[in-house]
């Protein structure tokens, strides 16, 4: 398995005999389900899954390459681990020091017959496997279909909460397990809140409406933002007061995507977007990073930020999401997920990024 090979290569580099994985994020590729329960122990020669009765049957059905161990009152975690430590000859065991509580770490230190070494496995998730990319593409396809549906569905007179509810229900109909994060729907002046929550505000014709949402599918996340113009009356994209702002954000987003390729640093991609917004006079109104890596978690490392010098590699997946937020007037954000390829960057969505009128279906 590519996953175990990558992990064993890491063990050699870190000079560890094994690693105990306890976090939901780093267990999921091994267990096949997302749960806070259970553990994975990987050594240079073997791999073990330790879980209780609730999950044993489901995990065991697809645990090829792993030895299963049932945890219960007669076989608690520390007892089973000490048996495996002795059997495998483990002298130094890595554990996720950045994910484990102080209390748990102390209990392991006192109860395990091994030398413990704190480590982080998150960097191993930066470059995605082919299986991970397939799951991310599926999550993106759900978000793509949802964006098309919700743009055609929105009408004046609805509330932001109603739009969020319809959006999340549609994602589940398309196969999402649940949303990747709390859905954002912000209309009119509330669009100036980068992470504001949907409210009971009535959506009016001629307002901009920003939707930031994503689907979690098979454990992997999508993340997408589009800003639409609510149809009605004489609403027209070119005549909207924030049309120039929209075009600035779009230009910044396209510039950042064009900058993505192996060998480029994350800060260079951030600068490609930020320079355009700053030159347009809106630098003070773009106060967040240009994007972030995404996978099992919706926000992963690295980030498209001014200070992140991480060098891009093929099969990394990051969002590109510049925005401009004007208090009292509204805001614009446009976001895609982009796969770093050997040649550049592949946008994982097909949803148009021109300023679209809601309620229309001619472009679908």
């Amino acid at each position: 398995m590519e996953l175990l090979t990558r992990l064993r290569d890491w063990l050699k580099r870190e000079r560890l005999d094994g690693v105990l994985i306890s976090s939901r994020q780093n267990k999921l590729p091994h267990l096949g389900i997302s749960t806070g329960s259970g553990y994975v122990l990987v050594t240079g020669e073997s791999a073990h899954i330790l879980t209780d009765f609730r999950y044993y049957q489901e995990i065991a059905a697809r645990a090829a390459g792993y030895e299963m161990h049932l945890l219960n009152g007669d076989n608690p975690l520390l007892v089973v681990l000490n048996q495996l430590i002795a059997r495998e000859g483990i002298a130094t065991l890595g554990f996720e020091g950045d994910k484990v509580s102080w209390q748990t770490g102390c209990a392991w230190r006192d109860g395990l017959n091994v030398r413990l070494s704190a480590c982080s496995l998150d960097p191993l998730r930066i470059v995605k496997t082919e299986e991970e990319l397939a799951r991310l593409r599926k999550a993106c396809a759900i978000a793509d279909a949802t964006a098309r549906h919700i743009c055609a569905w929105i009408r004046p007179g609805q509330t932001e909460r109603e739009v969020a509810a319809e959006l999340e229900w549609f994602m589940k109909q398309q196969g999402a397990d649940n949303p990747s994060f709390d859905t954002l729907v912000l209309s009119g002046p509330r669009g100036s809140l980068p992470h504001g929550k949907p409210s009971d505000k009535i959506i009016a014709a001629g307002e901009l409406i920003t939707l930031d949402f994503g689907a979690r599918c098979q454990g992997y996340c999508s993340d997408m933002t589009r800003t639409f113009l609510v149809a009605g009356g004489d609403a027209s994209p070119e005549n909207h007061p924030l049309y120039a702002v929209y075009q600035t954000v779009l230009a910044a987003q396209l510039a950042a995507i064009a900058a993505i390729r192996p060998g480029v640093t994350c800060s260079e991609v951030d600068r490609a977007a930020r320079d355009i917004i700053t030159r347009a006079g809106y630098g003070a109104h773009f106060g967040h990073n240009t994007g972030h890596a995404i996978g099992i978690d919706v926000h992963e490392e690295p980030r498209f930020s001014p200070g992140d010098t991480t060098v891009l590699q093929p099969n990394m997946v990051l969002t590109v999401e510049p925005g401009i937020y004007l208090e009292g007037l509204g805001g614009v954000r446009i976001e895609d997920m982009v796969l770093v390829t050997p040649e550049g960057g592949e946008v994982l969505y097909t949803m148009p990024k021109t300023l679209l009128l809601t309620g229309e279906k001619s472009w679908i």
Side-chain angles (χ1 to χ4, degrees):
M1 293 176 61
E2 181 181 355
L3 177 65
L4 288 176
T5 299
R6 182 183 294 185
L7 191 52
R8 285 173 176 142
D9 289 342
W10 175 84
L11 286 174
K12 291 177 183 177
R13 293 195 301 272
E14 297 296 317
R15 298 182 179 180
L16 297 171
D17 299 313
V19 62
L20 179 64
I21 307 172
S22 57
S23 69
R24 176 193 64 83
Q25 301 95 320
N26 291 316
K27 287 184 306 186
L28 187 149
H30 302 272
L31 301 183
I33 61 172
S34 179
T35 173
S37 300
Y39 302 85
V40 177
L41 174 66
V42 177
T43 72
E45 303 296 332
S46 63
H48 307 267
I49 292 175
L50 302 81
T51 189
D52 62 48
F53 174 83
R54 295 170 297 169
Y55 304 102
Y56 189 93
Q57 182 178 352
E58 183 177 3
I59 296 171
R62 52 171 173 264
Y66 298 83
E67 183 179 337
M68 295 291 301
H69 303 269
L70 178 64
L71 300 178
N72 54 36
D74 296 326
N75 295 289
L77 175 65
L78 296 186
V79 169
V80 175
L81 280 176
N82 275 326
Q83 291 171 349
L84 292 173
I85 287 167
R87 191 179 94 184
E88 302 281 346
I90 299 173
T92 303
L93 179 67
F95 75 101
E96 295 180 274
D98 56 341
K99 301 287 196 300
V100 172
S101 70
W102 173 259
Q103 183 178 19
T104 298
C106 289
W108 290 355
R109 177 197 62 195
D110 297 338
L112 293 176
N113 304 320
V114 72
R115 182 171 62 255
L116 291 172
S117 177
C119 60
S120 176
L121 295 175
D122 289 356
L124 295 180
R125 304 207 318 267
I126 290 177
V127 176
K128 310 307 184 194
T129 66
E130 291 302 320
E131 181 179 357
E132 288 180 308
L133 291 177
R135 294 187 179 194
L136 285 168
R137 287 183 184 277
K138 187 169 183 179
C140 286
I142 293 172
D144 226 358
T146 301
R148 285 171 157 73
H149 167 76
I150 204 68
C151 184
W153 187 85
I154 293 171
R155 297 288 191 281
Q158 298 163 341
T159 68
E160 293 173 346
R161 292 186 195 274
E162 287 175 323
V163 173
E166 173 66 20
L167 187 153
E168 292 182 3
W169 172 239
F170 188 86
M171 285 197 297
K172 287 198 171 185
Q173 290 179 307
Q174 303 306 303
D177 299 326
N178 47 52
S180 300
F181 52 91
D182 292 340
T183 298
L184 306 183
V185 178
L186 301 157
S187 60
R190 298 190 75 247
S192 67
L193 305 173
H195 273 195
K197 304 300 182 185
S199 73
D200 292 322
K201 177 190 173 298
I202 302 296
I203 298 165
E207 291 185 327
L208 294 186
I209 182 169
T210 297
L211 302 95
D212 188 346
F213 60 95
R216 188 182 299 276
C217 183
Q218 298 178 339
Y220 286 78
C221 299
S222 57
D223 188 359
M224 183 181 199
T225 306
R226 289 293 186 270
T227 299
F228 303 128
L229 175 58
V230 181
D234 58 355
S236 168
E238 292 78 8
N239 294 329
H240 193 278
L242 295 182
Y243 182 70
V245 170
Y246 189 98
Q247 295 302 106
T248 299
V249 172
L250 179 57
Q253 204 240 9
L254 293 174
I257 292 171
I260 293 174
R261 60 184 181 278
V264 169
T265 65
C266 287
S267 60
E268 289 175 302
V269 176
D270 178 87
R271 186 163 59 250
R274 201 168 299 278
D275 283 353
I276 288 176
I277 291 176
T278 299
R279 286 197 300 269
Y282 296 109
H285 303 282
F286 175 31
H288 58 74
N289 296 332
T290 296
H292 54 84
I294 184 169
I296 293 172
D297 282 335
V298 71
H299 294 103
E300 297 184 348
E301 298 296 333
R303 312 279 174 136
F304 287 141
S305 68
D308 194 325
T309 58
T310 302
V311 176
L312 296 180
Q313 303 174 57
N315 286 9
M316 294 170 65
V317 179
L318 302 98
T319 68
V320 179
E321 49 180 304
I324 295 174
Y325 312 92
L326 303 174
E327 186 174 357
L329 295 177
V332 174
R333 183 164 67 249
I334 305 169
E335 176 185 18
D336 288 318
M337 284 171 55
V338 181
L339 167 65
V340 182
T341 70
E343 295 78 28
E346 176 192 349
V347 175
L348 299 182
Y349 298 127
T350 61
M351 179 70 181
K353 289 184 285 191
T354 53
L355 183 55
L356 300 173
L357 279 165
T358 64
E360 296 189 355
K361 299 183 179 181
S362 60
W363 49 269
I364 296 180

